[in-house]
Amino acid sequence: MKFHKANCLKGTVTVPGDKSISHRAVMFGALSEGKTEITNFLQGADCLSTICCFRQLGIEIENRNSTITIHGKGLDGLSSPSSTLDTGNSGTTTRLLSGILAGQSFTAVLTGDASIQKRPMKRIMEPLSMMGAHIESINGNGCAPLKISGASLKGIHYHSQVASAQVKSAILLAGLYAEGATSVTEPVLSRNHSEIMLRTFGASLLSNGTTATIHPRPRLAGQKIVVPGDISSAAYFIAAALLVPGSDVLIRNVGVNPTRSGILEVAKAMGGNISLLNENTDGEPTADLHVTYSPLHGTKIAGDIIPTLIDELPVIAVMAAAADGTTIIKDAAELKVKESNRIDVMVQNLSAMGCSIQGTEDGMIIEGKNPSLQPLTGAMIDAHGDHRIAMSFAVAALIAEGETDIIDSECVSISYPGFYSDLQHLSG
Ligand code: S3P
């Protein structure tokens, strides 16, 4: 798909529901007794993969006009699937579902697309095995396909090497089925949607700093869940509005949970003009974001903030490419094991646009090109099938001289099927 420089972005946009929260609402609804109703559910391919898997596990799920109804059957209500569970491109589905399957009384095989089959699963296989699960990487490479045979589990206290909400959640979900309490301590707090929502459904779960502890066999009850807008999707409009001169954009109803909202801090540190309006702090906090064009300068992004903006680093790198001065991103080695190797892919594509960028072991060093002196140039971009790369370069194209052609641009359907039309609506 081809993209060109924009004059300015103006208007209001409502981004679709949060991907992480949509996945969890389906999973926890399936494990609860009674009906769960989810509104503003993200109809992206990843969350639809989660729905498919739970239907294969015997749960009746209705999907009408972005409202999902789950007919939950309780903790012991899943049934043995008759075929391999297909998690598509979704790491969240693969890892969280593995935690749930570890505590069942049947065997299941799960796998996904080519990207999923390269992503590391030892990070969940190790703790789940310590709990007593039988979990095997069928090709012996520590990746999916995974064969999981339910077993009786025992609670552990796991000290995770990575700050990963997927790892933490997989262990806590297995902990629902274990004997005794299960705790996870992470090096830095990762997104805490599982903890918040499991408590809403009735789990006994305590959070203390970077440790979460769950007690087994709660009686989970169906809920009404309203999914806030996804800040990871809002990130592209935040960046676009900051970068394109004359822009003035209002992004409605965005989830601003502090474990997710690092991009707001970084954008402000780079000189970005963003204000939060209509803040609502019941449950998952939300706000409208008002963003206007701002000349940006380079910054350093490292340490505890990284997990709060891990999925936004590709578009933050685009912001850095058009900022005055150098931006250093450190402590983000996790970027290498996302839907693509996001360090390599950002280096390849930003270099193609004329940016001076160096990949490091755990991040990137980007020499910003002040766009009024030396703009980026349009180029052929390979998104490597990674939705966040495609959306980041659709933003870069708005400030580049000449044409940008994104190969694989349709992969945005993983998390934001209407992205291009929403972007076009704002840029006229
Ligand atoms: C997610 C957690 C993050 C994030 C992913 C969604 C989740 O991954 O990158 O897009 O829903 O739990 P890790 O937990 O592996 O860091």
Side-chain angles (χ1 to χ4, degrees):
M1 191 170 183
K2 294 183 168 53
F3 298 84
H4 299 96
K5 196 166 174 175
N7 280 331
C8 65
L9 277 80
K10 291 229 186 265
T12 300
V13 63
T14 305
V15 292
D18 186 277
K19 182 153 82 72
S20 294
I21 295 176
S22 295
H23 282 299
R24 286 162 172 78
V26 172
M27 295 182 182
F28 304 169
L31 300 181
S32 297
E33 285 167 33
K35 205 158 86 174
T36 286
E37 224 173 70
I38 313 167
T39 45
N40 200 35
F41 178 81
L42 170 62
Q43 299 278 351
D46 267 9
C47 298
L48 297 177
S49 293
T50 293
I51 289 186
C52 274
C53 288
F54 278 87
R55 282 183 176 148
Q56 281 181 271
L57 290 163
I59 302 298
E60 187 193 337
I61 302 175
E62 296 163 59
N63 182 355
R64 286 201 199 100
N65 311 325
S66 101
T67 297
I68 306 287
T69 309
I70 317 268
H71 298 273
K73 293 185 179 169
L75 279 183
D76 296 312
L78 302 183
S79 49
S80 173
S82 54
S83 54
T84 298
L85 299 166
D86 182 2
T87 61
N89 188 243
S90 175
T92 306
T93 313
T94 309
R95 297 197 177 105
L96 272 60
L97 185 52
S98 297
I100 293 170
L101 292 173
Q104 304 304 314
S105 55
F106 52 79
T107 296
V109 175
L110 81 178
T111 194
D113 67 8
S115 154
I116 273 295
Q117 291 185 41
K118 282 195 233 141
R119 296 184 66 185
M121 294 298 151
K122 276 198 185 130
R123 54 181 59 196
I124 53 152
M125 291 170 68
E126 183 186 283
L128 294 177
S129 302
M130 285 165 68
M131 294 176 79
H134 301 301
I135 173 164
E136 179 197 339
S137 158
I138 289 176
N139 297 330
N141 59 356
C143 300
L146 300 176
K147 182 176 175 191
I148 303 175
S149 304
S152 60
L153 304 178
K154 59 178 188 307
I156 56 169
H157 187 158
Y158 191 67
H159 294 265
S160 179
Q161 299 295 305
V162 280
S164 161
Q166 294 179 356
V167 170
K168 170 174 63 180
S169 305
I171 299 168
L172 294 174
L173 286 166
L176 289 171
Y177 295 93
E179 205 176 291
T182 297
S183 299
V184 186
T185 300
E186 357 180 41
V188 177
L189 186 65
S190 65
R191 64 191 66 191
N192 62 358
H193 305 303
S194 291
E195 295 93 303
I196 293 173
M197 202 190 290
L198 277 168
R199 274 194 286 264
T200 303
F201 276 91
S204 158
L205 193 152
L206 237 106
S207 299
N208 184 5
T210 60
T211 300
T213 301
I214 195 162
H215 293 275
R217 295 259 155 223
R219 200 157 163 226
L220 303 180
Q223 299 294 319
K224 281 193 181 348
I225 301 286
V226 181
V227 181
D230 197 328
I231 191 165
S232 298
S233 297
Y236 305 101
F237 301 123
I238 294 173
L242 293 174
L243 290 173
V244 180
S247 296
D248 186 331
V249 170
L250 183 70
I251 314 168
R252 283 231 166 90
N253 184 38
V254 180
V256 289
N257 177 320
T259 64
R260 290 288 298 284
S261 59
I263 185 172
L264 302 179
E265 276 173 58
V266 164
K268 285 177 189 163
M270 294 177 84
N273 192 353
I274 304 183
S275 40
L276 273 64
L277 312 170
N278 297 322
E279 288 183 67
N280 185 335
T281 51
D282 295 345
E284 289 278 356
T286 60
D288 296 340
L289 306 179
H290 181 213
V291 190
T292 54
Y293 166 71
S294 316
L296 301 180
H297 50 79
T299 188
K300 182 169 176 190
I301 309 167
D304 290 6
I305 197 169
I306 293 292
T308 73
L309 46 66
I310 189 73
D311 291 341
E312 289 66 74
L313 284 170
V315 79
I316 288 173
V318 169
M319 284 159 54
D324 203 10
T326 305
T327 292
I328 299 172
I329 300 172
K330 270 177 64 61
D331 304 320
E334 279 294 297
L335 287 176
K336 296 194 272 192
V337 292
K338 293 295 178 187
E339 286 84 329
S340 67
N341 178 332
R342 288 181 177 161
I343 296 180
D344 287 356
V345 172
M346 287 310 294
V347 169
Q348 176 197 335
N349 287 318
L350 273 179
S351 302
M353 295 185 94
C355 169
S356 163
I357 170 169
Q358 186 194 329
T360 63
E361 258 316 290
D362 66 349
M364 300 167 237
I365 302 171
I366 300 159
E367 304 296 339
K369 274 174 155 251
N370 182 329
S372 56
L373 306 172
Q374 213 186 3
L376 296 172
T377 46
M380 188 76 116
I381 300 298
D382 186 348
H384 292 264
D386 183 335
H387 55 131
R388 303 215 183 276
I389 300 294
M391 290 188 274
S392 298
F393 282 91
V395 171
L398 301 176
I399 49 160
E401 289 301 332
E403 187 172 89
T404 298
D405 192 356
I406 304 180
I407 305 172
D408 260 5
S409 57
E410 71 286 356
C411 63
V412 303
S413 63
I414 291 294
S415 63
Y416 196 162
F419 175 69
Y420 298 121
S421 64
D422 285 352
L423 187 62
Q424 193 168 15
H425 158 77
L426 288 179
S427 56

